[in-house]
């Protein structure tokens, strides 16, 4: 079984939609609405790529990243107007996905981190 | 009678004595002179009225020797008297050598000898100085009062208990726009009072009956041109010739009202400006709140397409439900925002459900608070209503929640608690906003409500929030205070509840 895509967002509907989109495309995905639970999973399991909402209760994406002791492709997802400025200069952030984004953009981003089939 | 007296045969000596006694005892100031104005006799009253220590035995002396200060005009009168003329004056003055002015009523008449020729003068005087002084004092007082009445910048009006006007001063006539002729008789209080004041009038009349005073009473008068003018009245009862009358003092409140309107406009502008500043600060959170549902819609639209292609009815239903939930959430946010940003100027005072105001404010702030990883607890037990403006009260709560968020995010663990419950036997409702931040210093308790006081970084706060919030709360007859006894930062908003 390949390492899954991890999506962390306190918004359950976004988690659910992401599961559906990636699921239909045959991509393994694990979602978390609780950033602490997501962090715990990331510390212990191999993952292909992480998409993490910026603004969440208890900790934001950068705080989570700071506590993450492994290097993984880490993308910040956010509806903030100034998310680019918020993550600027953090070398561990691979990129930014600004809400609302088309599903195709997410799919393309995720697929770029998956081993090419065949 | 005169003839009868003459016909009585009396010895000459007796007549002389009679003449002397008669003149001396005349209860007036009287004197008899010969043609050379020498004293032949005088009454005791004459010396009492005109004499002094040096004037004792004056019979035989010239009138002008005794009173050298007699002026030329009087000497001329004496000459005319000696020529046969009888003269009198009801009020005249005698200026004494020492400068004193004595007021007299006098009569100067000739007397005749046996041949009918003028033999001398009779002079009667009466000292009327006291009456003249009294009258002058009365005249002065009256003219003082008349000047006051005419020139007072305050309207003055005397009317009967039935409202008929007896006297109005020029200031009052200017207020109501009538000329003196038009106002003279005929005009009544009731003609100039709009009907909608009937109940207030009854209350003031009752006050007048029980305390003999009324006012301050603010109402309007209908001017002659049909416009109305705001006035403030005070008044009291007086008794005049067994009739009870009302004196009223009338102030033109036009300028005062204009000033109040201006202040109110400025107040509303300040509220609006502060609200827009708050919205600016909150824009990031609001964008996040809207972008989230847009993101949900975007992604579920994609899964919906896939579900249709595959004929997956369950997947399609899930996507549609997600889209609708997201759309209605975004709609609620936009509605809350548009409710909040609307100017409260046109909003009529109404019964406002406290729980709804709390929900609106929390809805506007929740994302921003959650985004800063702050735990927000909302505990509303009240079902009370308060009278006022929902938008303004929402603004106050948003202001308190924003401040709480700014204070709490620097603290670990970060939390904000909002409670709303009835107090004082449900006669009031108390809303408390607490945050994890340390209590503010005691001396800050009042300072923080002053305009331009801020503890925030430059560019983060206007420093107007709390001062405007307090002004809003006070207009709702409530209080907004910092609870200095709490172990955390705790603001308490208390409002009188509408009684059912």
């Amino acid at each position: 079984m390949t390492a899954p895509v991890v999506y962390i967002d306190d918004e359950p509907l976004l988690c659910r939609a992401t599961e559906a989109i990636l699921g239909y495309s045959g991509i393994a995905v694990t979602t978390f609405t609780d950033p602490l639970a997501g962090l715990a999973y990331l510390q212990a399991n191999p993952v292909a790529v992480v998409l993490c909402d910026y603004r969440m209760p208890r900790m934001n994406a950068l705080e989570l990243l700071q506590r993450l002791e492994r290097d993984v492709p880490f993308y910040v997802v956010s509806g903030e107007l100034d998310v680019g400025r918020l993550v600027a200069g953090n070398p561990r952030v691979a990129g930014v996905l600004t809400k609302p984004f088309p599903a195709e953009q997410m799919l393309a981003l995720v697929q770029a981190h998956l081993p090419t089939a065949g | 009678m005169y003839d009868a007296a003459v016909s009585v045969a009396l010895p000459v000596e007796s007549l002389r004595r009679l003449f002397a006694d008669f003149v001396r005892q005349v209860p007036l100031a009287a004197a008899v002179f010969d043609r050379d104005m020498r004293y032949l006799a005088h009454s005791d009253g004459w010396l009492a009225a005109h004499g002094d220590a040096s004037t004792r035995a004056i019979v035989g002396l010239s009138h002008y020797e005794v009173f050298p200060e007699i002026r030329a005009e009087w000497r001329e009168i004496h000459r005319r008297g000696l020529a046969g003329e009888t003269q009198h004056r009801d009020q005249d003055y005698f200026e004494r050598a020492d400068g004193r002015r004595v007021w007299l009523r006098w009569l100067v008449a000739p007397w005749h000898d046996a041949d009918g020729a003028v033999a001398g003068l009779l002079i009667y005087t009466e000292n009327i100085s006291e009456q003249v002084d009294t009258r002058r004092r009365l005249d002065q007082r009256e003219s003082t009062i008349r000047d006051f009445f005419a020139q007072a910048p305050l309207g003055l009006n005397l009317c009967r208990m039935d409202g008929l006007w007896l006297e109005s001063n020029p200031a009052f006539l200017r207020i109501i726009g009538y000329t003196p002729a038009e106002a003279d008789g005929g005009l009544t209080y009731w003609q100039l009072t709009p009907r909608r004041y009937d109940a207030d009038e009854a209350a003031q009349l009752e006050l007048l009956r029980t305390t003999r005073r009324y006012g301050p009473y603010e109402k309007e008068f209908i001017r002659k041109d049909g416009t109305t003018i705001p006035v403030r009245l005070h008044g009291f009862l007086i008794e005049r010739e067994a009739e009870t009358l009302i004196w009223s003092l009338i102030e033109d409140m036009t300028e005062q009202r204009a000033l109040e309107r201006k202040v109110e406009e400025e107040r509303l502008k300040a509220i609006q400006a502060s609200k827009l500043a708050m919205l600016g600060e909150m824009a990031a959170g609001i964008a996040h709140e809207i972008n989230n549902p847009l993101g949900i819609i975007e992604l579920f639209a994609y899964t919906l397409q896939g579900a249709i292609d595959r004929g997956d009815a369950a997947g399609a239903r899930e996507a549609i439900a997600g889209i609708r939930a997201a759309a209605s959430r975004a709609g609620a946010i936009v509605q809350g925002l548009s409710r909040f940003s609307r100017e409260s100027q046109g909003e009529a005072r109404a019964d406002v459900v406290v729980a709804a105001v709390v929900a609106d404010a929390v809805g506007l702030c929740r994302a921003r608070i959650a985004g800063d990883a702050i735990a927000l607890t909302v505990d509303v037990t009240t079902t009370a209503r308060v009278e006022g403006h929902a938008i303004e009260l929402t603004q106050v709560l948003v202001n308190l929640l924003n401040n709480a968020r700014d204070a709490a995010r620097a603290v670990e663990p970060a939390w904000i608690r909002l409670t709303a419950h009835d107090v004082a036997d449900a006669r009031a409702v108390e809303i408390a906003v607490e945050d994890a931040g340390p209590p503010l210093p005691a001396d800050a308790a009042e300072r923080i409500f002053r305009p331009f006081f801020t503890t925030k970084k430059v560019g983060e706060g206007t420093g107007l929030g709390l001062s405007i919030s307090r002004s809003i709360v006070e207009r709702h007859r409530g209080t907004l205070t910092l609870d200095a006894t709490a172990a955390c930062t705790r603001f308490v908003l208390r409002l009188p509840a509408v009684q059912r």
Side-chain angles (χ1 to χ4, degrees):
Chain A
M1 185 178 160
T2 52
V5 172
V6 172
Y7 184 80
I8 307 172
D9 196 319
D10 59 314
E11 172 51 63
L13 283 175
L14 278 174
C15 290
R16 182 66 203 111
T18 302
E19 282 166 14
I21 290 165
L22 299 186
Y24 288 145
S25 303
I27 300 166
V29 58
T30 306
T31 66
F32 297 92
T33 53
D34 177 359
L36 286 173
L39 176 63
Y41 182 88
L42 293 182
Q43 301 281 31
N45 300 283
V47 296
V49 58
V50 181
L51 304 180
C52 182
D53 184 32
Y54 180 78
R55 197 182 263 245
M56 292 176 294
R58 289 193 290 284
M59 69 173 62
N60 66 34
L62 292 185
E63 287 161 349
L64 187 147
L65 185 57
Q66 202 181 349
R67 287 160 73 169
L68 177 60
E69 288 151 3
R70 298 174 53 204
D71 266 336
V72 292
F74 192 92
Y75 288 83
V76 173
V77 180
S78 178
E80 302 295 319
L81 298 176
D82 55 352
V83 62
R85 191 175 61 79
L86 289 173
V87 304
N90 191 322
R92 297 177 70 194
V93 175
V96 163
L97 206 53
T98 304
K99 289 178 190 172
F101 49 83
E104 289 84 352
Q105 192 185 345
M106 179 170 69
L107 272 171
L109 189 149
V110 166
Q111 272 159 352
H113 289 276
L114 295 175
T116 42
Chain B
M1 233 182 105
Y2 188 70
D3 289 342
V6 170
S7 70
V8 175
L10 285 174
V12 171
E13 179 55 18
S14 293
L15 279 174
R16 203 187 55 77
R17 294 287 292 273
L18 168 63
F19 168 72
D21 284 349
F22 181 81
V23 173
R24 189 170 54 78
Q25 292 184 31
V26 167
L28 288 171
V32 185
F33 301 88
D34 67 10
R35 288 201 58 88
D36 298 322
M37 288 306 288
R38 275 194 298 265
Y39 282 91
L40 292 179
H42 59 81
S43 67
D44 289 345
W46 181 269
L47 280 185
H50 308 301
D52 56 36
S54 67
T55 43
R56 284 274 175 259
I58 57 173
V59 172
L61 296 180
S62 156
H63 190 33
Y64 308 128
E65 220 173 308
V66 178
F67 300 109
E69 64 264 50
I70 289 176
R71 64 186 197 268
E73 186 198 355
W74 278 13
R75 293 174 195 236
E76 176 57 29
I77 284 163
H78 299 157
R79 267 190 294 280
R80 285 212 299 274
L82 291 169
E85 201 179 323
T86 297
Q87 304 158 85
H88 70 88
R89 209 170 273 179
D90 283 339
Q91 184 179 326
D92 198 358
Y93 67 91
F94 179 23
E95 194 159 304
R96 304 303 305 268
D98 61 8
R100 253 182 322 131
R101 191 170 264 213
V102 180
W103 290 91
L104 300 174
R105 172 160 43 224
W106 54 251
L107 171 77
V108 171
W111 64 275
H112 303 82
D113 62 15
D115 302 328
V118 174
L121 287 184
L122 300 168
I123 301 182
Y124 303 93
T125 70
E126 187 189 346
N127 186 338
I128 56 166
S129 296
E130 215 164 285
Q131 291 98 300
V132 169
D133 271 2
T134 304
R135 196 164 61 232
R136 195 190 303 111
R137 268 201 307 278
L138 284 175
D139 284 351
Q140 261 171 12
R141 205 161 76 186
E142 202 200 316
S143 98
T144 305
I145 291 170
R146 208 172 36 238
D147 287 350
F148 170 79
F149 194 69
Q151 294 175 30
L154 196 67
L156 298 168
N157 171 264
L158 183 67
C159 76
R160 291 199 323 215
M161 289 299 278
D162 65 4
L164 182 73
W165 284 349
L166 303 176
E167 288 180 54
S168 301
N169 76 338
F172 181 53
L173 295 175
R174 276 196 301 276
I175 289 173
I176 59 173
Y178 282 85
T179 65
E182 289 164 338
D184 224 16
L187 268 188
T188 80
Y189 185 86
W190 301 109
Q191 263 172 283
L192 274 80
T193 297
R195 301 294 310 187
R196 67 173 174 281
Y197 288 100
D198 282 359
D200 292 344
E201 293 291 342
Q204 295 296 329
L205 269 175
E206 184 56 29
L207 199 62
L208 198 54
R209 258 192 288 275
T210 51
T211 67
R212 299 188 62 83
R213 296 183 160 272
Y214 78 93
Y217 168 39
E218 298 197 355
K219 62 174 282 188
E220 289 164 307
F221 274 130
I222 305 166
R223 304 184 83 240
K224 193 193 170 200
D225 62 12
T227 58
T228 57
I229 184 165
V231 289
R232 176 155 59 196
L233 306 182
H234 284 82
F236 49 87
L237 292 183
I238 59 160
E239 306 295 334
R240 194 170 78 175
E241 289 165 4
E243 193 180 9
T244 303
L245 303 174
I246 311 169
W247 263 121
S248 294
L249 287 68
I250 303 103
E251 256 176 288
D252 179 354
M253 299 295 282
T254 308
E255 273 181 38
Q256 177 76 17
R257 288 281 174 281
L259 195 67
E260 283 166 7
R261 263 198 306 280
K262 183 107 187 93
V263 168
E264 176 67 7
E265 274 167 27
E266 292 300 322
R267 193 185 74 87
L268 291 172
K269 264 191 230 166
I271 290 176
Q272 188 65 8
S274 160
K275 193 161 61 181
L276 292 179
M278 253 187 242
L279 279 172
E281 288 174 49
M282 291 158 64
I286 292 161
H288 180 265
E289 276 289 85
I290 290 175
N291 284 339
N292 250 351
L294 285 179
I296 294 166
I297 290 168
E298 178 74 41
L299 297 189
F300 271 127
Y302 181 89
T303 68
L304 178 59
Q305 181 65 55
I308 290 169
D309 293 348
R310 284 190 312 277
D312 172 5
R317 268 196 294 276
E318 187 199 10
I320 289 168
I323 288 169
R324 295 188 61 176
S328 88
R329 198 196 304 169
I333 292 158
V334 171
Q335 269 168 24
L337 205 56
S338 93
R339 253 203 312 281
F340 183 63
S341 53
R342 207 165 51 217
E343 284 193 34
S344 57
Q345 192 148 10
E347 193 192 28
R349 288 180 82 84
D351 284 2
V352 177
V353 178
V354 172
V357 168
V358 170
D360 266 4
V362 169
L364 286 164
C365 299
R366 179 182 279 128
R368 198 155 172 245
I369 290 169
D372 282 316
I374 300 166
L376 172 65
T377 341
V378 178
D379 178 17
V380 178
T381 59
T382 180
T383 56
R385 291 160 184 273
V386 296
E387 199 210 338
H389 299 282
I391 300 171
E392 293 187 4
L393 292 174
T394 306
Q395 178 172 352
V396 171
L397 292 182
V398 167
N399 174 229
L400 294 179
L401 286 169
N402 275 350
N403 286 347
R405 170 252 183 195
D406 289 341
R409 66 176 166 169
V411 182
E412 186 69 37
W415 55 266
I416 294 173
R417 202 166 105 88
L418 186 155
T419 59
H421 54 265
D422 294 336
V423 291
D425 293 331
R427 283 195 305 277
V429 55
E430 202 171 272
I431 305 171
V433 177
E434 305 166 353
D435 66 61
L440 292 170
D443 68 321
E446 276 309 307
R447 256 181 323 136
I448 51 170
F449 291 103
R450 288 188 206 144
F452 306 113
F453 178 89
T454 182
T455 55
K456 297 180 189 177
K457 278 182 270 177
V458 174
E460 275 194 357
T462 59
L464 286 174
L466 281 174
S467 78
I468 284 171
S469 287
R470 180 174 263 188
S471 86
I472 290 173
V473 172
E474 283 170 356
R475 294 278 293 202
H476 285 77
R477 291 177 294 122
T479 56
L480 176 59
T481 50
L482 175 71
D483 180 0
T485 63
C488 56
T489 305
R490 182 170 194 265
F491 283 92
V492 179
L493 162 58
R494 196 182 172 113
L495 293 164
V498 174
Q499 299 300 305
R500 266 161 284 190

